[in-house]
Every structure is written in structure tokens, then in C-alpha cells.
Amino acid sequence: MVTKARPYHLVVFGASGFTGQFVAQEVAREQVVLEQSSRLPWAVAGRSREKLQRVLERAALKLGRPTLPSEVGIIICDTTNPASLDEMAKQAAVVLNCVGPYRFYGEPVVKACIENGTSCIDICGEPQFLELMYWKYNEKAAEKGSYIIGSSGFDSIPADLGVIYTRNKMNGTLTAVESFLTIHSGPEGLCIHDGTWKSAVHGFGDQSHLKKLRNESNLKPVPIVGSKLKRRWPVSYCRELNSYSIPFLGADVSVVRRTQRYLLENLEQSPVQYAAYVTVGGITSVIKLMFAGLFLLFFVKFGIGRQLLIKFPWLFSFGYFSKQGPTQKQIDASSFTMTFFGQGYSQGVSPEKNKPNMRICTQVKGPEAGYVATPIAMVQAAMTLLKDISDLPKTGGVFTPGAAFSRTKLIDRLHQHGIEFSVISSSEV
């Protein structure tokens, strides 16, 4: 795949950003793993050569590889300069786009990659951007043979592939899944970089555009197989996990639904209903999060409110988000568990007239979600694009991770890198 025209397998765009630096380190780790079997020529890209150089120097120090900075290419480009993005895309087989919020900076990168027949992976958790890219560019990407795969970080690889894994492990027809995300933190607590907060603020402030986009797309609803999955209350108690939970507000539900539609329409697989929740522990956490949620939903309605939310993330999120992001200690002490409770029907039992008679519980476990699991997921998705070519959809297009990777070895790759998928229990009721 490496030619004079395309010297790099992977290019990390936005490598000097907060998340981008961790993605660059993860590519460097992968390069070491691969060195015995095959080369992985790669580059970092962004606006400032000095900053990119510093990222490589820090990675070299962290990984104990003093020669790293001299082995990695540097490409200078900027989202406001389409010619520079074309130049980057022409040099890569796959671009790993870490520059967000994607609603402001994502489209020029997608466009440049498609124009130049390059594949592109992002870690976007913004449903409006993800769905808009599908409607605008799916046909063109298919024509050019480019695979454009959104939400390939923590939003939403664990959820999307977790549902597929649960379906594959069930001895019958899976019809509905609820997932519960639990974030574990160490003594210094949790913190998330404010880039994620900015994306959320703009996303909630612009819900009307997402509704409009969905109405205009005029899609037929995906059929419901078996009993309808009941929605939980905004605050509900999960007996199995002994914890209160609230709906998960990330991109997971949007992504999983799009995957299920794709699998039904293209592979004739029975669709799975899905709902996502996050556990919040005891009642004190519930109250704290409710206040943060109310502040957010009230302030996002006004331009000045959005400015205040973005200017003071720490204050309005009750300390969960900050401009500095988490410390290395906080990252090292943090991990996540996503538990899936699935229901369905054993072989030979008709979903039309009967109640579900099968239950399954699966889990996806991994290291800290934002800056360890996300880079692992993104880099392994990219490696899957490079290595499992025959198992990908036949033509390019704009895909969810589940649509692109349902028949590949991505789950095995993630498992080998510390994001583990397992069956907890499975039984006939």
C-alpha cells in the first residue's frame, strides 16, 4: 500500500491536540508491535511543526525510543486551507482525524479524503455531524473507494461492537439490548478535557438542526422484532448493578441504530432495539448530575449562555470537565465497564406472538475511556482497515464502526490491546 505517491499508511491529523497526542503515542506503540512482521510508515499532521515535533519527542521519552522523532513524517496542514488537506490526503492510506469539534472542522477533512480516494477515521461523538456526512458524502465515498468511518473512539466502538458481540454470542435471536456504562476512578477522581464539553454544548444547543435533518431524510422506521423495549425513567435504579442510572447522552444510541439499519438492509440481519444508560452510583451523585444537566440544558438555549458554559467548563460541570484535562495519575487510575443486558428468542420460538424467553449479559471492559481506550479503538480500527480488506463492505462509503467492521477481526484486535469482550451469563427463561 505504500508507494511513492502515498508514503504513509497512517497520518494522525491534529496530533498536537489533547487527544491527538495520545493517538500518536498509540500509533508509535503499534509500530513497535508490528516491527517484527511488517513496517508501519506514518506521519503526524497539523498547523505547527514545533508542536508536532514536541509531541513526537514526548512520545519518544514515554516509550523509551529516542529515534522515534526521526522515523515519523511531519505534514503541515490546516482545516482552513483545502489545498493543504488535499496534500495530506494524497500522502496517506488512512487519515486519523483528531480535530474537533467536528461540526466546525470535520467536513473539509472528509471532503479532502474522498476527493483523493483516502480512507478516514474519526472519534466524533456528535450525531448531527455523523449523520450529515452520511447524507452528503456516502455515494461519493463509495464511488471513490474511500471508507469514512465516524465515532471510532469511546463513542461508539464499545457500544456498537458490544451489541454485535452480544448478538453473535446469543443462541437464538437477539431483539433488544440495554447497556450500562460504569466509569471507575481512582482517589483523585475524574476529569475530562473541555474539548468534549465544547462538542456537547454546541450539540445540545443545536438539537433542532438534528431533528430537521432526520425529518428530511424521510427514512422508514427500522421494524421492531419481538417485544418493544420499554424506556426507563430519567433516573432509574438498576438492580443487577446496584446503582442508579441516567440515560447516556453521547452518540451511542444514534450510532447503534444506524448500524442496525445497515445490517438489516445490507446483510438481512434481524434488527436489535437499543437503549444506553450510565450508572451514577448513589443519590448524591444523582443530585449533582441533575443540577449539572439542568444548567447545561438551560444555558445552551442562548448564545451568551453557550459562551459562559464554554468559558467556565469546570464551574458548570461541577468539576468533571476542565481546560487542562486529566492528570496522568487520574488517567492511570481510571477504567470503564460497559454491561449489556440482552433479551430475545431461542431457536424455533416466534417473536411475533411470544414473550422473550432468552436472556444474555455481556461486558466490555477497558482502561480509561477518553485518552487510553479511545486511541486504542481508533488505531485498531485503522489497522483493521489496512489488514482485513476482504472482510470490509465491498465498496467504500460513510459507515458506522459496526457497519464497517461487523465481519472483521476488530473485536479480537481490541481484546489483545486491553479492551476485553466477555459473556457474563446466558440463559433460557
Side-chain angles (χ1 to χ4, degrees):
M1 198 170 283
V2 170
T3 61
K4 272 187 184 162
R6 286 188 197 263
Y8 305 116
H9 275 165
L10 306 177
V11 171
V12 181
F13 179 48
S16 57
F18 193 81
T19 308
Q21 61 182 328
F22 293 105
V23 173
Q25 285 172 21
E26 190 57 35
V27 177
R29 275 190 203 96
E30 188 64 20
Q31 187 187 20
V32 173
V33 172
L34 284 177
E35 247 157 29
Q36 292 79 29
S37 54
S38 59
R39 283 177 67 246
L40 182 68
W42 66 289
V44 289
R47 289 179 301 186
S48 160
R49 183 175 292 277
E50 291 72 28
K51 283 183 182 175
L52 293 167
Q53 192 65 43
R54 276 204 298 276
V55 164
L56 293 175
E57 283 161 10
R58 276 201 301 273
L61 201 63
K62 197 169 179 181
L63 303 173
R65 288 183 57 204
T67 58
L68 182 71
S70 61
E71 296 163 13
V72 181
I74 290 182
I75 300 168
I76 305 304
C77 64
D78 187 340
T79 53
T80 60
N81 180 345
S84 72
L85 293 176
D86 279 335
E87 212 39 58
M88 168 182 72
K90 278 175 188 156
Q91 296 181 64
V94 183
V95 169
L96 282 67
N97 182 13
C98 305
V99 180
Y102 290 89
R103 65 170 54 240
F104 300 131
Y105 308 114
E107 187 170 352
V109 182
V110 168
K111 209 172 165 194
C113 286
I114 293 171
E115 292 294 338
N116 293 285
T118 305
S119 291
C120 179
I121 289 179
D122 70 43
I123 43 176
C124 174
E126 305 162 42
Q128 189 185 334
F129 172 79
L130 295 163
E131 292 179 34
L132 183 64
M133 291 305 98
Y134 174 81
W135 290 113
K136 281 182 86 166
Y137 295 105
N138 184 47
E139 284 177 18
K140 187 81 191 284
E143 204 180 288
K144 291 279 197 171
S146 295
Y147 291 86
I148 308 296
I149 305 166
S151 52
S152 293
F154 183 72
D155 283 28
S156 294
I157 277 184
D160 204 16
L161 292 182
V163 171
I164 287 170
Y165 176 83
T166 307
R167 188 200 64 211
N168 292 347
K169 292 295 177 186
M170 187 161 180
N171 194 14
T173 305
L174 181 70
T175 58
V177 172
E178 290 181 313
S179 71
F180 291 84
L181 167 64
T182 304
I183 299 287
H184 315 279
S185 62
E188 295 191 14
L190 276 178
C191 181
I192 304 168
H193 187 258
D194 77 326
T196 306
W197 175 255
K198 280 178 193 160
S199 297
V201 168
H202 290 297
F204 285 119
D206 202 16
Q207 286 282 21
S208 59
H209 277 96
L210 181 56
K211 279 186 186 144
K212 194 176 166 216
L213 177 67
R214 286 174 176 170
N215 290 338
E216 284 171 1
S217 65
N218 220 357
L219 288 170
K220 269 197 224 138
V222 171
I224 288 170
V225 177
S227 299
K228 190 172 186 209
L229 182 62
K230 286 192 180 81
R231 278 298 140 99
R232 290 173 181 255
W233 289 91
V235 176
S236 66
Y237 188 72
C238 177
R239 228 177 27 252
E240 297 89 341
L241 298 174
N242 193 20
S243 176
Y244 285 95
S245 70
I246 58 173
F248 179 67
L249 298 175
D252 287 355
V253 173
S254 153
V255 171
V256 171
R257 277 188 191 148
R258 287 171 56 220
T259 294
Q260 292 305 315
R261 177 183 292 283
Y262 174 89
L263 296 176
L264 170 70
E265 290 173 357
N266 294 274
L267 303 178
E268 294 178 2
Q269 291 178 359
S270 179
V272 179
Q273 304 166 66
Y274 176 66
Y277 302 92
V278 57
T279 64
V280 291
I283 205 76
T284 320
S285 305
V286 170
I287 292 163
K288 199 171 161 185
L289 278 160
M290 275 171 72
F291 272 109
L294 288 169
F295 270 126
L296 181 66
L297 293 172
F298 175 74
F299 278 85
V300 293
K301 291 177 179 168
F302 319 102
I304 193 157
R306 290 196 288 276
Q307 282 169 13
L308 284 169
L309 287 166
I310 284 165
K311 198 170 180 186
F312 304 108
W314 193 83
L315 177 70
F316 288 106
S317 70
F318 288 84
Y320 285 115
F321 292 86
S322 80
K323 289 182 186 291
Q324 294 76 36
T327 62
Q328 193 58 50
K329 253 187 180 173
Q330 285 174 314
I331 290 173
D332 294 342
S334 184
S335 63
F336 79 89
T337 305
M338 199 176 252
T339 307
F340 299 82
F341 295 105
Q343 62 179 39
Y345 298 82
S346 55
Q347 283 156 356
V349 175
S350 162
E352 275 155 40
K353 299 184 185 81
N354 299 292
K355 282 186 171 174
N357 72 330
M358 292 284 291
R359 294 258 185 279
I360 186 167
C361 174
T362 62
Q363 250 178 17
V364 179
K365 278 181 156 176
E368 190 277 335
Y371 313 106
V372 185
T374 285
I376 290 170
M378 188 184 211
V379 172
Q380 290 314 312
M383 295 313 296
T384 304
L385 267 187
L386 293 173
K387 303 271 184 185
D388 297 1
I389 299 162
S390 60
D391 299 323
L392 296 169
K394 294 232 174 337
T395 58
V398 178
F399 298 101
T400 57
F405 300 128
S406 72
R407 299 194 285 189
T408 68
K409 298 185 189 76
L410 179 55
I411 288 175
D412 298 339
R413 291 178 193 284
L414 293 170
H415 209 92
Q416 287 159 13
H417 286 77
I419 298 176
E420 297 171 3
F421 291 67
S422 61
V423 176
I424 304 300
S425 64
S426 180
S427 61
E428 203 164 320
V429 180

